[in-house]
Amino acid sequence: MTENFDRAPGAGRNRAKPNSPGLGEQAIGRVLVPGAGGASGDAQPKQCFFQQEPLRQPRTSPPPVVENSASADDRGAAGTSPGAHQKNSSHNSNSTPRVNPKVAGALLVDSRLSATAPEFYPANYSSYTDPSFEDGSDSLYVQSEPTFSEFVQGFLSHLNDSPGAFESDIEHITAMLNGWVTTDEMLHELVELIYQKSTLVPNFSYTGARLCNYLSHHLTMSPPSGNFRKLLLQRCQTEFDKREQAVKEDEATRKRFHSFVLFLGELYLNLEIKGNGQMNRAEILLTGLRDLMNALFSNPVDGNLICAVKLLKLTGSVLEDAWKEKGRSDMDELIQRIENIVLDASCSRDVKQMLLRLVELRSSNWGRVQAAAACSEATPENDPNYFMNEPTFYTADGVPFTAADPGMFK
């Protein structure tokens, strides 16, 4: 029983042991096959070689020690056991050579190293230092303070990526801008950066219009040349004056102009001006949008017509209400012009379908649902939703009926 455990960890159970009686180095690998070699059934030795892969060393054992063949043969001839061989190997592998004290003393005496030696520099070392890192810090990764342009572009990109954070971040952004914007040139730069972002990135036009409205009321810088809102409207006027030529230019120029048109529509919906104790929309933008649509319809190519459809879907209901308050029929004139384009213009079929759906949208009051009657005045005749909240009953046959089915109560 104890003989089975006199082996290296991980050794196979079917291997022949070198120290077993009757087996020597020449007999390893031979087994007795009963019934082979004669009728008497005597067991005859038969040569059988095990072609097994060498066993890997256990993870807890030290790495194997490579020794010359002569020492291994001598140790095998002396009859050393595997357990003793493993202990010797472990001892040799873990032992470290000892340094002769006399040799160590001689090295210390002859050493020319000194703690007070001057600092070592390589042969090609240069003492030049980048001025951008001369800020009194040892770190090579300290970033310099961003410029005003980088700061504005940074928070514009943040608002573009996270438009839902506008309400929570706008006060902090405005406070920082009030600390940055101290000159007329910086205010002009701020207006230009916001305008470029709002027209070059289509999805930012709405957020840009909200940002312009907030800054127009909370930005404290107001130089003699004009405040934020005045400079913004002047920048839009510069692009507005190019409308007649822009609608006839190449496709790239028209796309930039279309982005400006849609941004101006967002400005009209979001930019508020204080007057007579209440907030009003910019009257100048109402006139400007009418002139922009006339310019788009003057050259009825697909791109211009699609831009006009987008603008009317965005602002049509508000524009018509504003014109009706003034007793003007500008929306009727625009719809009549659209119908003429559908009949006469050589635009694509898809664009004509868009124009027709726009006409239908306007005929349905721009998709707005009339307010339901008050509860005290609601009757089945004047309120189509009168029976909406009534409970549902079922007949004996499982047919549902409500108060709207008077025949069921007879």
Side-chain angles (χ1 to χ4, degrees), residues 12 168 247 260 287 291 339 380:
S168 59
V247 296
F260 160 72
T287 305
D291 296 337
E339 292 175 350

Side-chain angles (χ1 to χ4, degrees), residues 50-182:
F50 294 94
Q51 299 180 356
Q52 296 182 353
E53 296 180 0
L55 297 174
R56 67 173 179 83
Q57 292 291 330
R59 294 184 180 181
T60 56
S61 64
V65 180
V66 180
E67 301 181 3
N68 54 29
S69 58
S71 61
D73 294 342
D74 294 342
R75 193 158 49 249
T80 57
S81 63
H85 174 64
Q86 183 179 1
K87 293 180 181 180
N88 292 336
S89 300
S90 176
H91 174 73
N92 294 335
S93 62
N94 294 331
S95 61
T96 57
R98 296 182 179 180
V99 180
N100 192 336
K102 295 182 179 180
V103 176
L107 292 175
L108 294 176
V109 173
D110 297 338
S111 176
R112 293 180 295 175
L113 298 177
S114 174
T116 61
E119 187 177 358
F120 170 75
Y121 293 98
N124 298 327
Y125 175 77
S126 176
S127 59
Y128 170 76
T129 304
D130 191 347
S132 61
F133 297 107
E134 295 180 353
D135 56 354
S137 175
D138 295 333
S139 175
L140 296 179
Y141 300 97
V142 176
Q143 297 182 356
S144 59
E145 185 177 357
T147 63
F148 176 69
S149 176
E150 293 174 344
F151 166 70
V152 174
Q153 292 176 354
F155 78 75
L156 290 179
S157 299
H158 167 67
L159 293 178
N160 182 46
D161 297 337
S162 304
F166 181 88
E167 297 291 343
S168 59
D169 297 344
I170 188 60
E171 293 184 4
H172 175 68
I173 292 173
T174 305
M176 296 188 68
L177 284 175
N178 284 325
W180 272 96
V181 181
T182 56

Side-chain angles (χ1 to χ4, degrees), residues 237-251:
Q237 181 69 37
T238 302
E239 199 72 22
F240 175 81
D241 294 338
K242 305 175 184 178
R243 63 188 184 280
E244 298 295 340
Q245 186 64 27
V247 296
K248 301 175 183 178
E249 291 291 337
D250 56 8
E251 184 177 359

Side-chain angles (χ1 to χ4, degrees), residues 220-289:
T220 57
M221 180 63 183
S222 182
S225 60
N227 56 15
F228 177 86
R229 182 175 62 248
K230 183 177 180 180
L231 295 179
L232 175 65
L233 295 178
Q234 289 177 355
R235 179 63 181 89
C236 294
Q237 181 69 37
T238 302
E239 199 72 22
F240 175 81
D241 294 338
K242 305 175 184 178
R243 63 188 184 280
E244 298 295 340
Q245 186 64 27
V247 296
K248 301 175 183 178
E249 291 291 337
D250 56 8
E251 184 177 359
T253 304
R254 290 201 305 268
K255 284 185 176 181
R256 289 194 297 270
F257 177 71
H258 298 160
S259 299
F260 160 72
V261 171
L262 296 177
F263 173 61
L264 205 67
E266 293 286 2
L267 273 181
Y268 177 70
L269 297 178
N270 293 277
L271 189 61
E272 298 175 337
I273 300 177
K274 293 181 180 179
N276 299 326
Q278 58 183 359
M279 305 300 292
N280 301 314
R281 290 190 171 91
E283 185 69 22
I284 189 175
L285 295 181
L286 178 64
T287 305
L289 291 176

Side-chain angles (χ1 to χ4, degrees), residues 358-373:
L358 177 65
V359 174
E360 294 177 358
L361 179 63
R362 192 256 178 169
S363 63
S364 65
N365 195 20
W366 303 102
R368 294 180 290 188
V369 180
Q370 295 294 337

Side-chain angles (χ1 to χ4, degrees), residues 275-395:
N276 299 326
Q278 58 183 359
M279 305 300 292
N280 301 314
R281 290 190 171 91
E283 185 69 22
I284 189 175
L285 295 181
L286 178 64
T287 305
L289 291 176
R290 179 67 169 89
D291 296 337
L292 287 175
M293 282 185 282
N294 287 336
L296 291 171
F297 290 139
S298 65
N299 185 29
V301 296
D302 287 358
N304 291 337
L305 295 177
I306 292 174
C307 179
V309 170
K310 291 181 178 179
L311 180 61
L312 285 174
K313 285 185 175 180
L314 176 66
T315 63
S317 60
V318 180
L319 291 176
E320 185 168 11
D321 292 343
W323 285 328
K324 283 184 177 180
E325 290 179 1
K326 300 178 181 298
R328 297 167 55 179
S329 59
D330 293 45
M331 186 58 67
D332 294 332
E333 297 175 3
L334 288 175
I335 296 300
Q336 182 62 43
R337 193 165 186 177
I338 291 175
E339 292 175 350
N340 294 336
I341 291 175
V342 172
L343 296 176
D344 302 334
S346 58
C347 56
S348 65
R349 179 180 178 182
D350 293 338
V351 173
K352 288 184 179 180
Q353 292 293 330
M354 292 179 61
L355 295 173
L356 290 175
R357 286 195 293 268
L358 177 65
V359 174
E360 294 177 358
L361 179 63
R362 192 256 178 169
S363 63
S364 65
N365 195 20
W366 303 102
R368 294 180 290 188
V369 180
Q370 295 294 337
C375 296
S376 59
E377 303 176 359
T379 62
E381 288 76 19
N382 64 12
D383 187 3
N385 300 324
Y386 182 81
F387 297 108
M388 180 176 293
N389 297 324
E390 292 292 329
T392 302
F393 300 95
Y394 295 89
T395 64

